[in-house]
Amino acid sequence: DFDIEMDYDSTLMVATVSLAVFFNVNRIFEMEAARVWKSVLVEALQLLGPCGLATFAFYSWKQPPLRDGPGKFRNKYCLWFAFVYAGSMFAIFQTAEDCETSSDLPQCCSYPGLNADYNAQRGLQVTCDKELRCMKPFVEGKQICALPHHLESLAANITEQKKGIHFDQDTCRELKGRWKEYSSIRVGEGNRSAFQDAEHEEEKFSSAFRLFRTVGTAASVEMYFTISGVLLKLIFLTQHRKSGIILEQDQAHHGEMHQRLGESMINASFADRPLVASGVELQQSEA
């Protein structure tokens, strides 16, 4: 099917990458809203990943790289690199998709980041730092590990509490036990306390933001899975000694099939028309 302009695999790649970029665009607007300009640039550059991979896979699918043909570097090493990259990103987004429905932290808490300004925005130190949350109650009478509802005003003061504290094995074990106990507490017949904290925090984001994030994450899983499958088929088809002969025979077979199909359609169209000679319609006479 290499000579068909938009076959099933090509259509699937185009459709999934068109939806997958919602995730990246959503992240760009998230960083822009927080006025974290370095992260805006990083997120914009990350668009090159899915777009470049999809373009490479689409081109390679239309122009299969022969093992012994010209451009050996692209034919072999780039093909394998793209396959490994697509598989790695599929595993990452598969984990992120599961996290969307099962995490007890808001938006799975992609924290800490390399940018210190990003880590400080919206009180992420408090929201995503389980040890800090479980050190002591933030508000008088509040349960340990519970998430405060006014992060922006408390984050600057609370993070100071963690400075100068030596975290040995006993301290980390105690804090881990506090979080496990807190995350297992159920509120009435509803979700556990940690999940309710996460839901309450995510409600601060718009419905459109959450929708595009979910759609982008799910589409990214499908995109990387599709591209991995296409690249794997290309590896099987092109990375052995007789791949050139097989591809030539495949194209010749499809060319012959298309010619036969065209001839059949032409014959069928003429068979349905009445014969005309000198402007007089010839009818079959009954003998």
Side-chain angles (χ1 to χ4, degrees):
D1 294 339
F2 302 118
D3 53 346
I4 302 177
E5 227 174 285
M6 286 299 291
D7 55 12
Y8 174 78
D9 294 283
S10 303
T11 304
L12 200 57
M13 282 191 288
V14 172
T16 52
V17 74
S18 300
L19 294 174
V21 295
F22 282 176
F23 177 86
N24 300 86
V25 174
N26 214 40
R27 289 283 295 173
I28 292 173
F29 281 114
E30 181 185 3
M31 297 300 105
E32 190 275 334
R35 298 297 187 267
V36 188
W37 303 115
K38 291 181 182 179
S39 296
V40 170
L41 178 60
V42 171
E43 295 296 338
L45 290 176
Q46 286 184 358
L47 266 174
L48 298 176
C51 295
L53 178 65
T55 302
F56 174 81
F58 189 88
Y59 175 77
S60 299
W61 181 247
K62 294 304 175 184
Q63 301 291 332
L66 299 179
R67 177 185 178 183
D68 300 322
K72 185 177 180 180
F73 182 81
R74 178 185 76 91
N75 298 352
K76 183 177 181 180
Y77 300 108
C78 288
L79 193 63
W80 276 104
F81 174 79
F83 175 71
V84 173
Y85 175 74
S88 302
M89 295 304 295
F90 169 73
I92 290 173
F93 275 95
Q94 183 70 53
T95 303
E97 186 181 37
D98 295 339
C99 185
E100 288 286 339
T101 58
S102 60
S103 175
D104 52 9
L105 294 175
Q107 298 188 67
C108 302
C109 268
S110 52
Y111 169 89
L114 295 177
N115 190 350
D117 294 334
Y118 168 77
N119 297 334
Q121 67 162 336
R122 293 196 310 274
L124 286 180
Q125 307 102 315
V126 181
T127 306
C128 303
D129 196 331
K130 295 180 180 179
E131 289 80 9
L132 183 59
R133 286 175 59 174
C134 292
M135 278 166 48
K136 69 176 189 177
F138 295 131
V139 182
E140 189 70 24
K142 189 97 172 162
Q143 188 174 12
I144 293 180
C145 301
L147 186 65
H149 298 319
H150 303 288
L151 294 176
E152 290 78 4
S153 59
L154 292 174
N157 296 327
I158 294 173
T159 50
E160 292 295 327
Q161 300 174 6
K162 196 173 181 179
K163 294 182 179 179
I165 297 179
H166 177 66
F167 288 90
D168 53 17
Q169 290 186 355
D170 294 334
T171 303
C172 293
R173 190 181 300 111
E174 181 182 355
L175 294 175
K176 185 177 180 180
R178 289 181 184 180
W179 178 262
K180 184 177 181 180
E181 181 182 356
Y182 172 71
S183 60
S184 63
I185 298 175
R186 290 189 176 274
V187 181
E189 299 296 329
N191 293 328
R192 295 192 292 268
S193 299
F195 281 102
Q196 285 199 342
D197 281 344
E199 291 174 357
H200 177 80
E201 184 65 21
E202 288 180 355
E203 287 176 359
K204 297 179 181 179
F205 296 91
S206 67
S207 300
F209 175 84
R210 287 178 286 168
L211 175 63
F212 287 143
R213 179 185 175 89
T214 303
V215 171
T217 303
S220 295
V221 173
E222 299 301 325
M223 180 195 70
Y224 288 115
F225 178 78
T226 300
I227 292 178
S228 297
V230 170
L231 293 175
L232 186 61
K233 286 194 286 186
L234 282 171
I235 290 173
F236 286 152
L237 283 171
T238 63
Q239 299 304 306
H240 56 82
R241 295 179 180 179
K242 297 186 178 181
S243 57
I245 299 175
I246 294 176
L247 290 174
E248 288 178 2
Q249 292 180 350
D250 182 78
Q251 292 179 352
H253 170 72
H254 282 286
E256 182 181 352
M257 291 295 294
H258 292 163
Q259 183 178 358
R260 290 181 181 178
L261 179 61
E263 293 175 354
S264 300
M265 293 177 64
I266 293 174
N267 294 334
S269 63
F270 278 106
D272 294 337
R273 298 179 182 178
L275 297 176
V276 178
S278 302
V280 180
E281 188 175 324
L282 299 179
Q283 301 287 347
Q284 237 183 359
S285 58
E286 296 182 0

